[in-house]
């Protein structure tokens, strides 16, 4: 039976007819029901402070105890959405405790009727519920800070609230959604995750539930409208919806509405690829309003008409210069359809199908379009246009019109956008005249377009979301926040964070981001493994965020420089192994939720990275003529097939096939921005391997192999990267076979303080030897030590080991970093000193960026600074072994010029007391440069500086413009090799010279 018809829909009509009654409403049926109950500790995991306990105590309200749950009461004249949400709470209490409360919808509040009992739950909206209003009048319920506010609630035990009632737990809201949020807040507090249905999160059993005394409230949301946009929904979401619900109808959207409300959101742009929310099912808009969801249409669908509606009912071109009357009639119907439903109307116009307007479109035409649309709104509603919330989405080229001077009326919200890759393009000017319509942000967790689609998996670290939305909050863009979530799954974690942060940005400063992740993990899986699961969530989103999976190929990570590819795949593999260990330890009822929220994204991402790295090895081995070439080709095929098996498990095995099609998105084999029609295995090479053994040698840091022909004589001699006593490196030499028959090898260093392990052995395909230095015995100075490797055919290969062992400084004498192998690489968070000035200080943003963390100057509203002297800067102390020119590369987040400063977005660098050099990270404004920045997830700029001589120096990173987030600094003294992530961090002495 459809859930809609289980609600007391006829109740309002019955009351109007004068019927007086109390209705006990059973819990609403669910086809599948929530996952099975599981044990839980004393405090239910919630995002934020907990006010529900399993233990009784003084002043605590017994929500459920001794096999009995307090009955729920709501006035029949309250909002239908409030009654519906209370039915959810009724069911939730039953699922948690096994003791389902009764729900009474009571229309009488005088003596002789109404709630009775020792402990009851009273729920209602101020001005809509006579009981709640009575409690306020009699000063039994304090609504200071609640009344007159937007979407605000209080949950509070009250003693002797009404005649015949000893105690009540009151849930009161300032308005419809305030009450609904109070109801769902209690559901969350008793241990029901907002993702219980959408991610199969088990409901944990509790024998008793007591609400602590006091007033419990989340306050008023900082952002007025907070929502999600279902977009790019084919093939995954559409395939699942069509199979599960028969289309994007009200049965599907009821689940979406409920999720949004449980997450304390209030706004939805519905799916629009081949879908039309208002037209596909006439119950869709009706139920949205009944639930309490504010509806809109996307940035390119004006006047609440879907693009598909134009395809179905429009005639002539989508061109206002030639077809204005038809378009006005089409748009008018959208406002007629709106009726009294709470909505935000998109105004303006883009080209048909989310394309730019015709080149040369005049601003005057676009302004006329908005005027005409507003006149339609006024005519249809019978009210001034300003009485209906509207937005103008400054998306892509529309922002250019704004920058060129186009304006809309003051009551229209200006919805700024990111660049589709999580970088906000524009924010309000500080000190600008306030707009009654305010400002908002349209953000992306998913995108179809250049330089590459990214639709498959979650690639959104919440640290990056925090950094950009913190900018929005601080600059006053707080009327609307809406995020493109693609298929909704698998974006569960960042959706939660986006909406929680929109509610209360001040509750989640940067330093509390790890705590947020732990609390979210605990909410889904309990506290026992929350820390470990949080670490996995943070790590896999960081790894996926540094390069979208759709952008990966065999050339992304270096196979030879700094063992980059190996380190990347090893990190993923370690993460996947950790995730599997936790799965084995979790109770079985958690496995479905764990697979979709944690294990699948980790294993599938690890597998994909290994797939491309293995294909890259196949190509390299083929060039080196290794016998292992063909085994690498076989491994690529196996990894490709494993990807399909993982998706199959998600679609058809996990949760009994509940989410079939949700992992149908192709993600392997991209050749340009658009997705391939099917996954395509990377190309592999198969070679003919002769029978006789033949030794080959390869070394870390080079793609060459020996013996081989290389022009240049001794320049082609295999030489390992330099060893030094600070990092105490070990480097590998690989002895491999070019034939089928095995052979024996020996490896001997010319000096006893250089060790090779193993020094001898038998090679079937290949053997890795590790070279290291015994620093207690190594003489000072620079030495080149030959290592002779002998194997099949009697043709030795001599590998040179360069050992740099300076007399000074010793490791204990180093303050900060020290040069090694011709560079100094430093993570931003590992500065020696952070110098602020006045209110300006430096904030580490944990786990932001590709490698460790980001560092940013706060407040982000700080005026531009003149670098030098005591102005804000970071200091990085280091020891360099020679003077002269060096290249200083700053790895910063790919932030855009959100302030529209003509100078761009700048920082400055200098050594010691030298004058700072100012660098504009956006000096190259070409589309090609932007594509590289967003693909690489970093903006890389390099500045030539002079070092006066060898010894200790301080590199200064100066604040110039706010919003520049530093991830890493690299000083290249001639040794940096090309890699994707840059050289790994250099050795530093953290006990001297700062952090």
């Amino acid at each position: 039976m459809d859930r809609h018809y289980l609600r007391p829909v006829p109740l309002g009509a019955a009351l109007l007819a004068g019927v007086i009654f109390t209705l006990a409403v059973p819990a609403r049926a669910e086809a599948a029901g929530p996952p099975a109950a599981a044990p839980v500790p004393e405090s239910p995991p919630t995002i934020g402070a907990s006010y529900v306990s399993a233990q009784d105590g003084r002043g605590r309200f017994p929500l459920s105890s001794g096999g009995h749950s307090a009955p729920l009461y709501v006035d029949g004249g309250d909002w239908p959405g409030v009654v519906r949400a209370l039915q959810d709470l009724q069911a939730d209490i039953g699922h948690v405790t096994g003791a389902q409360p009764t729900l009474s919808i009571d229309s009488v509040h005088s003596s002789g009727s109404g709630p009775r009992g020792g402990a009851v739950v009273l729920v209602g909206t101020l001005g809509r519920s006579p009981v709640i209003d009575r409690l306020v009048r009699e000063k039994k319920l304090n609504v200071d800070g609640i009344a007159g506010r937007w979407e605000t609630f209080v949950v509070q035990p009250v003693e002797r609230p009404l005649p015949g009632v000893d105690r009540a737990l009151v849930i009161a809201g300032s308005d419809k959604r305030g009450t609904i949020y109070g109801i769902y807040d209690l559901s969350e507090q008793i241990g029901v995750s907002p993702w219980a249905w959408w991610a199969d999160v088990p409901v944990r059993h509790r024998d008793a539930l007591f609400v602590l005394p006091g007033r419990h409230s989340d306050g008023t949301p900082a952002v007025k409208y907070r929502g999600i946009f279902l977009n790019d929904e084919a093939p995954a979401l559409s395939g699942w919806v069509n199979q599960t619900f028969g289309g994007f109808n009200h049965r599907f959207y009821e689940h979406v509405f409920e999720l949004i409300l449980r997450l304390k959101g209030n706004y939805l742009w519905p799916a629009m690829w081949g879908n039309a929310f208002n037209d596909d099912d006439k119950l869709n808009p009706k139920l949205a309003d009944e639930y309490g969801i504010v509806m809109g249409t996307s940035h390119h669908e004006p006047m609440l008409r879907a693009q598909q509606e134009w395809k179905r009912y429009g005639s002539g071109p989508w061109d206002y210069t030639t077809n204005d009357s038809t378009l006005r009639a089409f748009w008018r119907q959208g406002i007629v359809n709106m009726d009294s439903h709470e909505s935000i109307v998109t105004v303006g116009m883009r080209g048909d199908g989310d394309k730019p307007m015709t080149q040369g479109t005049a601003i005057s035409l676009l302004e006329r379009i908005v005027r005409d649309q507003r006149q339609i709104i006024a005519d249809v509603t019978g009210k001034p246009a300003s009485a209906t919330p509207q937005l103008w989405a400054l998306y892509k080229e529309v922002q250019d019109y704004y920058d060129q001077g186009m304006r809309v009326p003051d009551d229209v919200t200006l919805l700024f956008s990111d660049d589709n890759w999580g970088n906000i393009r524009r924010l309000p000017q500080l000190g600008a005249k306030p707009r009654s319509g305010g400002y908002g942000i349209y953000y992306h967790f998913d995108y179809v377009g250049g330089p590459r689609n990214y639709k498959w998996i979650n690639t959104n670290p919440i640290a990056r979301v925090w950094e950009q939305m913190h900018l929005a909050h601080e600059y006053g863009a707080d009327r609307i926040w809406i995020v493109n979530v693609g298929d909704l799954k698998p974006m569960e974690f960042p959706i939660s964070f986006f909406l929680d942060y929109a509610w209360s940005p001040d509750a989640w400063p940067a330093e509390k981001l790890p705590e947020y992740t732990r609390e979210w993990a605990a909410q889904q899986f309990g506290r026992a493994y929350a820390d470990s699961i949080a670490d996995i969530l943070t790590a896999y989103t960081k790894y996926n965020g540094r390069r979208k999976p759709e952008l990966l190929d065999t050339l992304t990570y270096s196979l030879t420089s700094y063992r980059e590819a190996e380190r990347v795949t090893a990190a993923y593999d370690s993460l996947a192994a950790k995730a599997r260990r936790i799965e084995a330890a979790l109770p079985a009822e958690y496995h479905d939720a764990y697979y979709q929220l944690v294990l699948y994204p980790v294993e599938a991402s690890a597998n994909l990275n290994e797939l491309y790295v293995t294909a890259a090895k196949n190509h390299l081995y083929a060039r080196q003529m290794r016998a292992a070439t063909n085994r690498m080709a076989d491994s690529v095929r196996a990894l490709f097939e494993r990807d399909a098996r993982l998706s199959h498990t998600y679609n058809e095995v996990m949760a009994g096939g509940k989410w079939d099609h949700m992992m149908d998105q192709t993600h392997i084999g991209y050749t340009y921005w658009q997705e391939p029609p099917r996954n395509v295995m990377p190309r592999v090479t198969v070679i003919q391997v002769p029978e006789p053994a033949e030794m080959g040698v390869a070394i870390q840091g080079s793609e060459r192999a020996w013996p081989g022909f290389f022009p240049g004589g001794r320049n082609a001699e295999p030489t390992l990267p330099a060893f030094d006593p600070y990092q105490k490196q070990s480097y590998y030499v690989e002895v491999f076979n070019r034939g089928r028959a095995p052979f024996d090898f020996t490896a001997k260093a010319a000096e006893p303080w250089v060790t090779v392990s193993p020094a001898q052995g038998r090679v079937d395909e290949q053997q890795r030897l590790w070279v290291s230095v015994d620093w207690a015995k190594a003489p000072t100075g620079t030495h080149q030590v030959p290592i002779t490797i002998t194997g099949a055919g009697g043709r030795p290969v001599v590998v040179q080991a360069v050992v740099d062992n300076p007399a000074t400084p010793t490791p204990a004498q180093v303050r900060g970093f020290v040069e090694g192998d011709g560079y100094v690489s430093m993570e931003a968070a590992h500065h020696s000193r952070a110098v602020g000035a006045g209110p300006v200080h430096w904030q580490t943003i944990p786990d932001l960026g590709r490698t460790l963390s980001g560092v940013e100057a706060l407040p982000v509203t700080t005026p531009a600074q003149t670098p030098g002297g005591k102005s804000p800067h970071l200091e990085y102390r280091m020891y360099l072994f020679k003077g002269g020119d060096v290249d200083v590369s700053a790895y910063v987040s790919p932030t855009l010029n959100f302030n529209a400063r003509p100078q761009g977005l700048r920082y400055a660098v200098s050594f010691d007391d030298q004058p700072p050099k100012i660098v504009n990270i956006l000096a190259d404004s070409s589309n090609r440069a932007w594509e590289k920045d967003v693909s690489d997830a970093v903006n890389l700029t390099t500045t030539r500086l002079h070092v006066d001589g060898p010894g200790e120096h301080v590199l200064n990173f100066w604040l110039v413009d706010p919003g520049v987030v530093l991830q890493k600094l690299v000083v290249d003294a001639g040794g940096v090799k090309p890699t994707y992530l840059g050289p790994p961090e250099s050795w530093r002495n953290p006990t001297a010279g700062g952090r």
Side-chain angles (χ1 to χ4, degrees):
M1 190 174 186
D2 192 291
R3 295 191 304 161
H4 168 64
Y5 300 107
L6 283 172
R7 288 192 304 278
V9 176
L11 178 62
L15 292 175
L16 290 174
V19 177
I20 299 174
F21 62 96
T22 298
L23 176 65
V25 183
R28 290 180 298 147
E30 281 286 358
V40 71
E42 149 69 10
S43 297
T46 63
I47 306 297
S50 174
Y51 58 80
V52 172
S53 173
Q55 303 299 322
D56 197 359
R58 183 176 180 181
R60 297 184 178 187
F61 178 84
L63 184 62
S64 186
S65 178
H68 171 76
S69 295
L72 312 176
Y73 289 85
V74 66
D75 187 85
D78 215 315
W79 298 99
V82 170
V83 176
R84 195 210 60 78
L86 198 55
Q87 290 176 337
D88 282 341
L89 178 60
Q90 177 193 23
D92 290 347
I93 294 172
H95 292 319
V96 171
T97 66
Q100 181 174 286
T102 60
L103 167 58
S104 295
I105 302 170
D106 192 354
S107 61
V108 177
H109 309 286
S110 59
S111 60
S113 180
R116 290 287 187 275
V120 302
V121 179
L122 302 177
V123 178
T125 308
L126 294 175
R128 192 90 177 187
S129 169
V131 166
I132 300 299
D133 292 344
R134 174 180 174 176
L135 294 178
V136 175
R137 284 195 310 272
E138 295 177 356
K139 300 188 183 305
K140 294 180 179 179
L141 178 66
N142 180 2
V143 292
D144 291 347
I146 308 297
R149 298 291 184 91
W150 176 261
E151 299 181 346
T152 309
F153 67 85
V154 63
V155 177
Q156 179 179 344
V158 175
E159 298 295 323
R160 302 197 177 279
L162 298 169
V165 178
D166 294 335
R167 310 173 71 187
L169 178 68
V170 177
I171 304 174
S174 62
D175 52 22
K176 171 171 60 177
R177 280 187 296 275
T179 310
I180 291 170
Y181 294 149
I183 292 168
Y184 282 134
D185 193 71
L186 184 58
S187 280
E188 184 177 338
Q189 286 280 331
I190 68 175
V192 178
S193 167
W195 295 100
W197 189 87
W198 275 96
D200 304 297
V201 177
V203 174
R204 298 131 178 151
H205 177 77
R206 297 167 66 86
D207 291 329
L209 299 169
F210 296 91
V211 178
L212 275 57
R215 300 175 78 244
H216 311 291
S217 177
D218 270 357
T220 302
V223 177
K224 187 170 186 178
Y225 297 105
R226 311 164 305 282
I228 62 174
F229 176 22
L230 303 178
N231 192 214
D232 311 328
E233 62 267 23
L237 181 63
S238 58
W240 173 74
V241 166
N242 289 330
Q243 177 170 299
T244 306
F245 300 102
F248 285 83
N249 52 39
H250 74 279
R251 295 194 302 119
F252 161 71
Y253 275 112
E254 281 191 303
H255 289 287
V256 177
F257 300 155
E258 182 180 319
L259 174 68
I260 291 172
L261 293 170
R262 283 184 182 269
L263 293 170
K264 296 192 178 76
N266 59 11
Y267 185 38
L268 175 65
W269 287 358
M272 45 75 62
W273 274 24
N275 306 298
F277 179 82
N278 293 319
D279 197 51
D280 291 341
D281 185 339
K282 297 304 182 183
L283 281 176
N284 283 349
K286 178 182 182 300
L287 290 179
D289 191 63
E290 185 176 307
Y291 270 71
I293 298 297
V294 182
M295 290 304 303
T297 44
S298 70
H299 54 283
H300 69 99
E301 297 177 303
M303 302 293 279
L304 297 176
R305 299 302 303 264
Q307 177 193 353
Q308 288 302 312
E309 291 181 84
W310 178 253
K311 291 181 180 296
R312 297 171 189 177
Y313 308 120
S315 62
W318 181 265
D319 186 336
Y320 206 69
T321 61
T322 63
N323 201 23
D324 58 345
S325 61
T326 302
L327 284 163
R328 283 195 298 272
F330 176 73
W331 290 336
R332 180 183 181 86
Q333 189 60 47
I335 305 305
V336 170
N337 294 342
M338 177 180 71
D339 195 17
S340 60
H341 301 159
E342 198 173 0
S343 307
I344 302 176
V345 179
T346 298
V347 298
M349 190 175 185
R350 286 198 86 211
D352 190 18
D354 200 14
K355 296 175 183 176
M357 294 283 279
T358 304
Q359 189 171 5
T361 298
I363 287 176
S364 59
L365 172 63
L366 293 170
E367 290 177 335
R368 179 164 71 90
I369 290 170
V370 173
R371 285 196 302 271
D372 291 351
Q373 290 170 338
R374 286 170 61 82
Q375 187 61 53
I376 292 170
I377 294 170
D379 291 345
V380 173
T381 64
K383 302 175 183 177
S386 59
T388 299
Q390 299 150 65
L391 66 82
W392 181 37
L394 304 182
Y395 180 73
K396 287 194 173 181
E397 84 289 342
V398 180
Q399 184 184 301
D400 297 336
Y401 300 131
Y402 174 78
D403 291 342
Q404 293 165 23
M406 179 178 171
R407 293 297 180 262
V408 295
D410 193 65
D411 60 274
V412 178
T413 302
L414 296 184
L415 189 71
F416 292 112
S417 175
D418 67 356
D419 61 352
N420 304 302
W421 288 75
N423 307 293
I424 294 174
R425 298 176 66 206
R426 186 75 78 248
L427 287 171
Q429 291 294 319
L430 293 174
K433 181 182 176 181
R435 295 176 53 83
S436 60
Y439 303 87
I441 297 294
Y442 169 35
Y443 202 71
H444 285 76
F445 290 161
D446 163 286
Y447 180 57
V448 169
R452 191 64 58 85
N453 292 356
Y454 61 97
K455 298 172 59 180
W456 170 50
I457 204 79
N458 177 23
T459 61
N460 302 281
I462 66 167
R464 178 63 169 155
V465 178
W466 180 92
E467 183 263 318
Q468 287 289 291
M469 299 315 294
H470 172 72
L471 278 175
H473 171 61
E474 293 297 300
Y475 276 79
D478 58 6
R479 183 60 55 90
I480 300 171
W481 284 10
I482 188 157
V483 58
N484 186 327
V485 300
D487 300 311
L488 195 152
K489 297 179 71 66
M491 303 298 175
E492 298 94 341
F493 178 43
I495 288 172
S496 286
F497 177 75
F498 185 89
L499 294 177
D500 281 337
Y501 191 66
W503 183 280
S504 182
D506 293 339
W508 299 109
E511 60 270 19
K512 290 184 69 175
L513 293 177
E515 177 185 335
Y516 181 89
T517 307
R518 288 193 298 272
E519 291 302 309
W520 193 86
Q523 184 184 69
Q524 318 316 320
F525 305 107
R527 297 197 180 277
Y529 299 100
D531 288 356
S532 296
I533 293 172
D535 290 344
I536 294 170
L537 290 170
T538 299
Y540 103 74
T541 52
K542 172 192 279 289
Y543 297 164
N544 282 352
R546 64 192 176 196
R547 192 160 187 92
K548 308 289 189 186
E550 293 86 346
L551 280 159
L552 290 171
D553 59 33
T554 58
L555 301 177
T556 300
Y557 298 114
S558 174
L559 289 176
T560 54
S561 297
Y562 314 118
R563 297 176 51 231
E564 182 180 53
E566 287 185 22
R567 290 187 291 112
V568 166
T569 55
Y572 266 116
D573 289 346
S574 175
L575 203 63
K578 182 177 181 179
R580 286 190 291 270
R581 288 195 297 271
I582 293 173
E583 182 197 37
L586 285 171
E589 57 265 31
Y590 287 94
H591 285 183
D592 288 337
Y594 187 76
Y595 190 80
Q596 57 201 282
L597 295 176
V598 182
L599 187 58
Y600 173 79
V602 171
E603 287 205 310
S605 300
N607 188 78
L608 185 66
N609 277 265
E610 187 176 358
L611 170 73
Y612 281 112
V613 170
T614 305
K617 288 182 179 179
N618 167 259
H619 302 164
L620 176 64
Y621 289 3
R623 294 194 298 273
Q624 295 175 341
M625 296 181 291
R626 297 197 195 196
T629 300
N630 298 343
R631 181 168 58 83
M632 290 296 103
D634 292 340
S635 295
V636 170
R637 294 187 187 95
L639 291 163
F640 183 73
E641 291 167 0
R642 183 169 185 259
D643 176 89
R645 289 198 303 274
L646 291 170
S647 296
H648 170 79
T649 299
Y650 192 111
N651 283 341
E652 300 184 42
V653 178
M654 178 190 74
K658 175 180 176 180
W659 301 107
D660 193 13
H661 295 295
M662 285 299 288
M663 279 303 134
D664 284 358
Q665 178 62 49
T666 56
H667 48 276
I668 307 175
Y670 276 76
T671 57
Y672 69 119
W673 71 268
Q674 183 59 286
E675 65 197 32
R678 59 189 60 84
N679 287 327
V680 179
M681 191 185 82
R683 178 187 59 84
V684 294
T685 300
V686 177
I687 64 173
Q688 186 176 21
V689 180
E691 181 62 31
E694 180 184 347
M695 184 184 75
V697 173
I699 63 170
Q700 183 171 332
S702 176
E703 292 189 355
R704 294 177 171 179
W706 291 264
F709 173 76
F710 307 110
R714 288 184 60 81
N715 291 333
E717 188 174 48
T719 303
L720 291 168
F723 295 83
D724 68 65
Y726 311 104
Q727 310 212 52
K728 295 182 170 61
Q729 306 94 331
S730 292
Y731 296 122
Y732 70 77
V733 174
E734 283 185 336
V735 179
F736 61 85
N737 200 343
R738 287 172 167 158
R740 295 178 183 272
F743 67 87
D744 296 325
F745 76 92
T746 60
K748 182 173 179 58
E751 298 291 348
W753 40 269
V754 173
T755 61
V756 184
S757 179
Q760 60 184 13
R762 168 158 286 210
V763 173
D764 290 313
E765 273 192 345
Q766 53 195 38
Q767 172 74 56
R768 179 167 287 188
L769 320 181
W770 288 99
V771 181
S772 56
V773 175
D774 184 347
W775 294 103
K777 299 177 180 178
T780 58
T782 299
H783 307 272
Q784 187 162 302
V785 179
I787 301 169
T788 302
I789 302 170
T790 304
R795 299 176 60 190
V797 173
V798 178
V799 176
Q800 299 294 334
V802 178
V803 180
D804 288 332
N805 189 21
T808 58
T810 65
Q813 293 171 330
V814 171
R815 298 198 299 167
F817 292 90
V818 64
E819 177 188 345
D821 200 22
Y823 69 85
V824 181
S825 178
M826 302 165 289
E827 294 292 344
H830 292 157
H831 45 74
S832 305
R833 191 163 75 112
V835 178
V840 180
H841 62 282
W842 294 91
Q843 173 70 55
T844 296
I845 306 173
D847 296 298
L848 185 146
R850 305 192 309 174
T851 47
L852 182 64
S853 299
V855 178
E856 180 180 26
L858 298 182
V860 292
T861 53
T862 299
Q865 305 286 299
T866 300
K870 296 182 180 180
S871 72
H873 64 281
L874 300 171
E875 295 180 358
Y876 296 86
R877 191 178 299 274
M878 69 191 69
Y879 192 97
L880 300 173
F881 288 101
K882 62 180 179 180
D885 289 343
V886 295
D887 288 329
V888 176
S889 295
Y891 295 68
V892 303
S893 296
T895 308
L896 300 178
N897 189 7
F898 58 89
N899 267 326
R901 289 192 174 101
Q903 310 94 326
L905 200 60
R906 302 164 297 167
Y907 68 87
V909 286
S910 65
F911 267 111
D912 304 322
D913 296 325
Q914 296 173 3
K917 284 190 177 182
I918 293 179
V919 181
N920 175 14
I921 70 171
L922 302 174
D924 186 347
S925 60
S926 67
N927 188 68
R928 181 177 180 180
W930 170 80
E931 286 191 342
K932 178 172 176 53
D933 286 355
V934 297
S935 297
D936 293 349
V938 77
N939 175 293
L940 178 60
T941 48
T942 301
T943 306
R944 179 65 56 87
L945 296 179
H946 185 79
V947 177
D948 290 337
E952 189 177 277
H953 298 276
V954 174
L955 176 64
N956 304 293
F957 181 89
W958 302 89
L959 167 64
V960 179
D961 294 319
V964 176
V965 183
L966 180 65
Q967 298 182 14
K968 182 174 183 172
L969 286 167
V970 175
V971 178
D972 184 3
V976 171
K977 299 175 180 64
T979 53
Y980 181 72
L981 297 173
E985 188 168 36
S986 300
W987 185 85
R988 66 189 177 102
N989 184 350
T991 64
R995 300 175 62 182

